[in-house]
Amino acid sequence: MPHTARITTVVVSVSVVVLMLDICGGTGSIVERNPSQNTVGLPNSRADHTTGSGVMKYEGQALSADWTDLTSLSANPAPTQGLFAYDVTDSYDVQVGNWNGGTASTYVYSGLNWTNVTSTAGTPPPGELWGGPQILVYDAADGYLLLYMGIVETPSKIVPFPQTWSFHAGRWTNLTSTLGEEPSPRWGGQMVYDTHDGYVLLFGGSKAGYGGTQGDGINDTWVYGAGTWTNLTSSAGQAPSQYGASGATMGYDPLLGGVVAQVPAGGNSVDYWNQTWEFASGHWRELNRYSSYGQTIGGALGFDPQLGMFLMFGGINALGPVSTLWSYVNQNWTVVATAHSPPPTEGATLAWDSSQKLMFLWGGAWYEGTGFCGSCIWALALPLQVQGAVSSSSGPSPLEVAFSAIASGGVLPSHWSWHFGDGGSSTGENTTHAYLEPGTFVAWVNVTDRLSTLAQSATLTITVLVAFVPSFLASPTSGPSPLQVSFQAYGHGGTQPYQASWWFGDGTGASVGNTSHVYSAAGSYVATAWINFSSGATYSSRFSIVATQPPPPLVVDASANLTSGTSPLSVALNATATGGVPPLQFAWRFGDGGSSSVRNPSHRFATAGTYVVRLWVNESWGAGATSSLTVTVRPPPPASAPPYLVLDETLTVVLVAEVAALLLLRRRDRRQKERPAAVREVGDHSSRPKSLPPEGGHSEADLSDRSEEERGCLTGSDPMRKSTR
């Protein structure tokens, strides 16, 4: 695809539509530009600088970013003048250099503090290293910092001395002897890592200082990768002229997808002033050519991913050093104004530090090399902002919530202060807190950066509900097969609704909480219940279910010691049961309203009647059997009946006869006493029977004057029996 495809420009009538970037959200916006407005061009020191309170203005948009001087914040002494680059592999900035002779020193910059690591960094590159003849850049493909030395400079002379060094894991290594062909000696060349093509690009410089003049520019093109230099001059196409190459500055622009070279200075021909070039896929392409009063050389270029801008700061023109900040988007350079600014400088370095999330501006010099700001370091940063995030905003108590703070902008956010809304607090970027009681709580986080700037997050609402209490039931858990078991899974509290389900352990299950299941085959099973919430909370329980082999059938029999008698009648009852599954339960109903749950009860039937006594017996798993018997109760004898009525018939007759005989004898004796004496004498001597009665008996004459009762008693006959027959 041609590289021009990376640039999006739409022409509508006589207006130009330019895609603008929202640096806060990384989104694009379309703004319409009138070509009659002379705002699209190349860097010009005479351009209008719009100022404001802490606001950057870019293409009509206000961007709240500003420069901050960090020079005095380091707890340790800072280095003076030198090369500066960010080491992505080791996550710190590296500075190497010296001035006025001596051995080069090596520093690392992390957490806004300088640390001198010269004693552990090994042998450094020779000569004075101050940023004129040397170039330092991070080689992402090879994973180390790459240093190219075009010449070696001492206090007394300048010697062409091309060398290539690497800095990795805190130590310097000279790679020169292993490289073969190398770029020619030069002063002031530029190197940049081309992310799109995956190598380091070297371009430009001049022979000034060792037999040449400022106009003796070098416009060859080299690339470095995998430990090898490759000369692409012949295949790279037309490059910027040698006049502009001596003062070119470069940087990689991911929005363009290639290396941007600003070539603002040239010889006598204005055709080469203020040019912008692109190098991509091994080829040069001119993007802008614009004539303007004055040219700027020595500016620092770099891409700020936090702002979403390709930037150039400072440099020097015919009027002197400048402190202008430019942005380059859609092939247009535009001045960006800030409330604060570093001093006017040339030869500085812009480096994006991804670990500290800051664009650093390091070093530089005043006009014509006088008035060095060799220890100056500034940062371009957005205002400090912080957002809070929670792992869960609602749930049952106790609710444990993970809090995380996402800070952006500012200068190294360093202190976090959490307030949880229930009286609790914590420090740290990420923390956890447990809410023990139900309620609604408002949490927030404050963050402070190294400049003591304070930012507060939006509030976070945490809703803590009444704790969910699950209940799981299974009954019965054992018994003979086929065994029917009732299952229940439910609860109260928490966040409704929830989904309950069962797995019965025999290959079947149910997606409801309350259900029943029949285990047809004997065996041991594990039934499992779950209650699941959409929030991810899960409750579960297990039950061991044992279905045994079916027992013999239950057979019962009810019996009693008496089944009849007169009232009141006391009966001892007995229940006989065989088979079934113990324990057994017994229930008696006596037929007269009485009952008992004793296996062998006694019962008193108070009144006469016929009663059906029933017995129920239930097994432990629910089956039952029944039996019954009949009890007959007669009424008692009347209370007024004489005693003889209860005697047998023979004894009754004997007693009656004896009583009758006794009465007759008493009557005879009474009559004899009442008869006159003369009669008794006459009777005794003159009235004798004509014949004797039979032995043991009486004559008819003796019986003729007797009553019927007396005759019965004398003859032994029973007049009462005769009358009843």
Side-chain angles (χ1 to χ4, degrees):
M1 178 183 292
H3 299 299
T4 54
R6 300 192 184 101
I7 311 301
T8 303
T9 304
V10 181
V11 178
V12 180
S13 184
V14 294
S15 299
V16 180
V17 178
V18 182
L19 175 64
M20 303 303 299
L21 293 178
D22 178 353
I23 66 169
C24 296
T27 59
S29 61
I30 302 296
V31 296
E32 186 173 318
R33 297 290 307 278
N34 190 322
S36 64
Q37 298 173 338
N38 188 19
T39 56
V40 178
L42 299 180
N44 182 347
S45 61
R46 289 184 176 272
D48 259 344
H49 294 190
T50 304
T51 60
S53 176
V55 175
M56 293 178 66
K57 296 219 174 160
Y58 170 70
E59 294 288 337
Q61 285 187 322
L63 306 177
S64 52
D66 199 10
W67 287 104
T68 300
D69 187 359
L70 307 178
T71 306
S72 61
L73 294 184
S74 175
N76 304 317
T80 302
Q81 195 64 26
L83 309 177
F84 185 90
Y86 179 66
D87 186 338
V88 178
T89 301
D90 297 326
S91 300
Y92 49 57
D93 300 280
V94 175
Q95 189 275 348
V96 57
N98 64 358
W99 183 245
N100 292 328
T103 303
S105 58
T106 303
Y107 284 75
V108 297
Y109 188 66
S110 179
L112 307 186
N113 284 312
W114 289 104
T115 302
N116 191 335
V117 296
T118 305
S119 61
T120 61
T123 303
E128 295 179 350
L129 306 176
W130 57 274
Q134 303 87 22
I135 320 164
L136 182 67
V137 68
Y138 179 74
D139 180 356
D142 295 315
Y144 50 69
L145 289 175
L146 184 70
L147 170 66
Y148 173 74
M149 301 176 57
I151 63 174
V152 172
E153 184 176 11
T154 68
S156 59
K157 61 181 178 179
I158 297 176
V159 179
F161 193 68
Q163 287 193 351
T164 304
W165 291 69
S166 69
F167 185 81
H168 175 64
R171 295 188 66 84
W172 289 104
T173 302
N174 191 342
L175 305 177
T176 306
S177 61
T178 64
L179 298 179
E181 185 183 13
E182 287 188 286
S184 61
R186 67 195 64 209
W187 177 290
Q190 288 284 301
M191 280 199 315
V192 63
Y193 183 74
D194 186 337
T195 303
H196 181 272
D197 296 328
Y199 48 57
V200 174
L201 172 67
L202 169 63
F203 176 78
S206 73
K207 299 177 183 179
Y210 64 98
T213 64
Q214 184 70 27
D216 292 336
I218 302 175
N219 65 340
D220 56 358
T221 302
W222 291 77
V223 295
Y224 177 89
T228 302
W229 282 107
T230 303
N231 191 341
L232 299 184
T233 304
S234 61
S235 62
Q238 181 182 353
S241 74
Q242 62 181 13
Y243 300 103
S246 62
T249 53
M250 297 193 303
Y252 181 77
D253 184 354
L255 300 180
L256 191 64
V259 174
V260 174
Q262 174 62 21
V263 188
N268 295 325
S269 174
V270 296
D271 289 341
Y272 299 100
W273 290 10
N274 294 327
Q275 298 175 4
T276 302
W277 290 70
E278 175 200 22
F279 183 84
S281 298
H283 291 83
W284 286 102
R285 182 170 68 97
E286 183 180 359
L287 299 179
N288 297 85
R289 180 183 299 182
Y290 187 85
S291 296
S292 176
Y293 172 77
Q295 62 273 11
T296 302
I297 63 173
L301 274 70
F303 183 79
D304 187 330
Q306 190 163 250
L307 300 179
M309 292 181 180
F310 185 76
L311 303 172
M312 184 176 77
F313 178 82
I316 187 170
N317 62 18
L319 301 180
V322 298
S323 58
T324 308
L325 180 66
W326 295 78
S327 66
Y328 186 74
V329 175
N330 291 332
Q331 304 182 39
N332 292 308
W333 287 101
T334 304
V335 173
V336 180
T338 59
H340 304 89
S341 177
T345 183
E346 67 158 319
T349 300
L350 274 177
W352 170 254
D353 186 327
S354 59
S355 63
Q356 302 183 78
K357 295 182 173 56
L358 292 171
M359 175 65 88
F360 288 125
L361 177 71
W362 160 255
W366 290 73
Y367 181 73
E368 294 296 335
T370 62
F372 283 100
C373 187
S375 298
C376 293
I377 185 166
W378 289 67
L380 182 63
L382 289 167
L384 178 63
Q385 295 180 340
V386 62
Q387 293 181 341
V390 295
S391 59
S392 177
S393 60
S394 66
S397 63
L399 177 64
E400 185 169 290
V401 180
F403 292 86
S404 58
I406 305 171
S408 62
V411 178
L412 290 191
S414 57
H415 181 73
W416 288 263
S417 177
W418 285 95
H419 304 270
F420 301 122
D422 62 350
S425 61
S426 179
T427 59
E429 187 173 2
N430 302 314
T431 186
T432 59
H433 181 68
Y435 291 91
L436 303 180
E437 300 295 332
T440 300
F441 306 92
V442 176
W444 72 93
V445 60
N446 294 333
V447 62
T448 306
D449 69 0
R450 289 288 298 275
L451 302 180
S452 298
T453 305
L454 176 66
Q456 178 176 313
S457 72
T459 57
L460 304 167
T461 301
I462 311 297
T463 303
V464 183
L465 306 173
V466 175
F468 179 76
V469 179
S471 294
F472 301 98
L473 299 174
S475 179
T477 57
S478 64
S481 60
L483 176 63
Q484 181 170 338
V485 181
S486 295
F487 295 98
Q488 296 182 50
Y490 61 95
H492 62 274
T495 305
Q496 304 290 338
Y498 58 79
Q499 176 63 50
S501 59
W502 284 92
W503 180 254
F504 301 126
D506 61 353
T508 63
S511 58
V512 295
N514 298 333
T515 184
S516 63
H517 181 67
V518 175
Y519 292 90
S520 301
S524 296
Y525 306 91
V526 176
T528 306
W530 291 275
I531 294 179
N532 297 317
F533 288 85
S534 58
S535 62
T538 299
Y539 301 84
S540 64
S541 183
R542 292 185 175 185
F543 295 88
S544 178
I545 308 296
V546 178
T548 60
Q549 293 294 337
L554 178 64
V555 178
V556 299
D557 180 66
S559 61
N561 65 331
L562 292 176
T563 57
S564 65
T566 59
S567 63
L569 180 63
S570 294
V571 179
L573 298 164
N574 180 68
T576 303
T578 59
V581 180
L584 304 178
Q585 293 181 333
F586 298 86
W588 289 90
R589 298 292 184 269
F590 302 123
D592 61 352
S595 63
S596 175
S597 59
V598 178
R599 178 169 184 169
N600 300 316
S602 294
H603 184 66
R604 183 173 182 271
F605 294 91
T607 60
T610 300
Y611 303 95
V612 177
V613 179
R614 301 185 185 277
L615 168 66
W616 288 269
V617 180
N618 292 326
E619 298 177 280
S620 62
W621 61 283
T626 184
S627 179
S628 64
L629 58 86
T630 301
V631 175
T632 302
V633 181
R634 296 189 301 272
S640 59
Y644 71 87
L645 292 179
V646 298
L647 301 178
D648 59 28
E649 186 175 345
T650 302
L651 184 59
T652 300
V653 172
V654 171
L655 291 177
V656 170
E658 291 180 352
V659 171
L662 181 60
L663 292 175
L664 290 176
L665 291 176
R666 287 181 177 179
R667 182 176 179 181
R668 186 192 64 182
D669 292 339
R670 186 174 58 251
R671 286 181 177 179
Q672 288 178 356
K673 290 179 180 180
E674 294 176 354
R675 182 182 298 174
V679 176
R680 287 195 303 267
E681 291 179 357
V682 172
D684 292 336
H685 295 281
S686 60
S687 299
R688 302 190 63 88
K690 295 180 179 181
S691 61
L692 292 172
E695 186 178 356
H698 301 274
S699 64
E700 293 181 2
D702 292 331
L703 299 175
S704 59
D705 59 350
R706 305 284 184 180
S707 66
E708 183 176 356
E709 292 180 355
E710 291 174 332
R711 286 196 300 268
C713 290
L714 294 176
T715 60
S717 63
D718 186 356
M720 293 184 66
R721 178 178 299 179
K722 179 179 179 181
S723 64
T724 60
R725 292 180 177 176

